Amino acid sequence: MTTFKCPVCGEKALRLTTGPGRTMRHRNMEVAVPDDFQLAECAACGARPLDMKTVKRLDPILEQAYADRLSATVEADIDALASLRPLYEWERVLNLSAGYLSKLRGSKTPSAQLAALLRLLANHPERARELESLWAGEAQSVILSERLTLPAAPFARPVRATPLRHVDRQVFTILRKAA
Amino acid sequence: MAAKYELQRVQDAARDDRISLDERRARDELGYLFRTTAEGYAFAVEVLLALRPSDYCETVSLGPPHDGAYDVYGVRLARPELPACWYLKFKLEDGLYGENVFFVSIHPLNKPMHRIGGLLKPEGAP
C-alpha cells in the first residue's frame, strides 16, 4: 500500500482508505461517507486532511447524504407528529400549505430549518400551544412575559431551559387575562 | 520575527488550489459558514491571496501529534455576509504536485491578535 507523509504528524503513514463506518461533517451535520470512497487517513495520528481535488469529488456525494438524512429525519418526526394529531392540524400550527407535510414524506427535500422545527415539536408536542397562541395573536411571546415578571437577569437564562410547567403557567395566565 | 514560510510561495500554491485542510479547526469551522466544502476551500484560497506580510503574527510549534512549525496570521476581510476578522494557522509543505498549504486552523478570530501591522480585534471585543 502506498503511503505518504502526513501533514499533521510528519509520519509516512498517510494512505487511502475505504470501508464502512466513516463519517464527515457536511454543513452542521455528520453524514456517512460511502464505503467505497477513498479518503486519505493517517495510520499514525488518525488525521484526515483533504485536498481541493478530493473535496470537489466528495462534495456532491456529501450533499446527497445530507439531503437523504434530512429527509429521513423529517419523515420520522412527521410520523411521530401524525400519531398525535392529524397532519393538517400540524400544517396549520406551522403555517404551512395544506398537504405540505405529506409531500415531505415523499420526494420533496426539506429545509434544515423545518427539520429543526419538526424535531423540536416531535420531542415537545405540547409546545404547539405556544405557536397556536402566536397565530391567534392572543399573547405576547413567552420570552416577553418572562422578562416582565422576572426582574433578576432574565437574559442569563436560556429560553430552552425554561421549565415547561412555568411556561404553561405564564401562557395560561395571559390567556385567562385576555379572556 | 519573520514568517517561516515565504508569503509569495504560499500564495503561489493557493493560486494553483494546492491547499488542504485539517478537520476540526479548519474544515468543520468553514462547514458551518459555507453551503459546500468546496465553497469553504475557495474561501480559504481567497483569504490566502488577501494576506499581506503585515498580517503576520507569529510562528508556533504545536504539541503532539503535530509536526513542524506553523505561521499564524490574522486578517480583516470586507465580506459583509461573513465575520470580518479571521485567524489562520498554516504551514507550507512538499506535496505531490508542488508545495501545498496545509491549514490546521482557519476560523473567525475570537480574541485580539497582535500582528506586525498592528492590533486586530474581533467584532464586539473590548
Side-chain angles (χ1 to χ4, degrees):
Chain A
M1 182 183 287
T2 311
T3 54
F4 305 93
K5 186 184 170 193
C6 171
V8 174
C9 67
E11 296 290 324
K12 197 170 180 296
L14 193 70
R15 78 259 194 265
L16 294 172
T17 62
T18 55
R22 298 171 307 158
T23 63
M24 192 161 283
R25 188 173 291 273
H26 186 68
R27 302 202 215 178
N28 61 346
M29 192 187 276
E30 205 70 33
V31 295
V33 176
D35 297 356
D36 60 349
F37 192 93
Q38 290 192 320
L39 275 183
E41 185 172 339
C42 178
C45 72
R48 295 193 305 178
L50 281 186
D51 61 14
M52 185 78 105
K53 286 189 176 73
T54 309
V55 162
K56 284 179 178 169
R57 281 193 299 123
L58 188 58
D59 243 351
I61 296 169
L62 293 183
E63 183 64 19
Q64 187 58 53
Y66 174 85
D68 290 348
R69 201 165 149 212
L70 266 188
S71 296
T73 297
V74 160
E75 204 166 319
D77 288 338
I78 289 176
D79 286 346
L81 291 172
S83 69
L84 301 169
R85 292 168 73 167
L87 278 186
Y88 71 86
E89 285 190 18
W90 287 112
E91 284 157 356
R92 200 162 55 201
V93 164
L94 293 167
N95 208 359
L96 297 170
S97 318
Y100 190 84
L101 290 178
S102 297
K103 278 182 207 156
L104 284 184
R105 270 172 153 173
S107 57
K108 195 169 165 57
T109 303
S111 69
Q113 291 83 358
L114 183 58
L117 187 53
L118 290 172
R119 170 55 54 90
L120 291 176
L121 275 179
N123 285 345
H124 301 281
E126 70 281 358
R127 296 201 69 173
R129 271 177 289 170
E130 291 171 50
L131 297 177
E132 285 163 343
S133 295
L134 168 68
W135 305 131
E138 289 171 353
Q140 297 286 352
S141 71
V142 174
I143 304 169
L144 180 59
S145 69
E146 288 224 326
R147 210 180 296 160
L148 294 172
T149 53
L150 293 174
F155 295 109
R157 205 166 59 143
V159 176
R160 280 182 194 164
T162 305
L164 187 64
R165 244 177 280 159
H166 178 68
V167 173
D168 280 351
R169 206 163 46 237
Q170 291 285 328
V171 172
F172 178 73
T173 306
I174 291 163
L175 291 176
R176 194 171 54 184
K177 278 182 187 165
Chain B
M1 191 178 168
K4 179 173 172 67
Y5 308 105
E6 193 187 333
L7 192 53
Q8 185 61 51
R9 282 163 49 206
V10 168
Q11 292 178 330
D12 286 346
R15 253 180 231 105
D16 203 19
D17 285 348
R18 282 180 274 118
I19 66 165
S20 55
L21 274 67
D22 198 14
E23 271 184 287
R24 286 184 198 86
R25 298 297 283 158
R27 214 159 61 222
D28 290 355
E29 292 280 347
L30 295 182
Y32 290 120
L33 293 166
F34 294 93
R35 204 174 160 274
T36 65
T37 313
E39 282 177 29
Y41 272 56
F43 172 75
V45 167
E46 180 187 325
V47 177
L48 284 175
L49 296 179
L51 285 183
R52 294 166 304 169
S54 57
D55 296 323
Y56 170 74
C57 170
E58 61 179 341
T59 298
V60 296
S61 292
L62 304 178
H66 292 277
D67 174 60
Y70 290 83
D71 281 344
V72 177
Y73 284 79
V75 63
R76 180 183 293 279
L77 301 175
R79 297 242 327 226
E81 76 278 19
L82 293 173
C85 300
W86 285 79
Y87 177 96
L88 315 176
K89 192 189 289 169
F90 59 79
K91 66 180 177 182
L92 195 61
E93 44 153 30
D94 289 331
L96 280 179
Y97 307 101
E99 286 185 311
N100 187 71
V101 182
F102 175 68
F103 278 96
V104 74
S105 297
I106 173 169
H107 54 77
L109 185 70
N110 51 28
K111 59 184 181 186
M113 174 192 278
H114 291 278
R115 307 170 303 164
I116 286 180
L119 185 67
L120 183 66
K121 282 187 183 177
E123 299 88 338

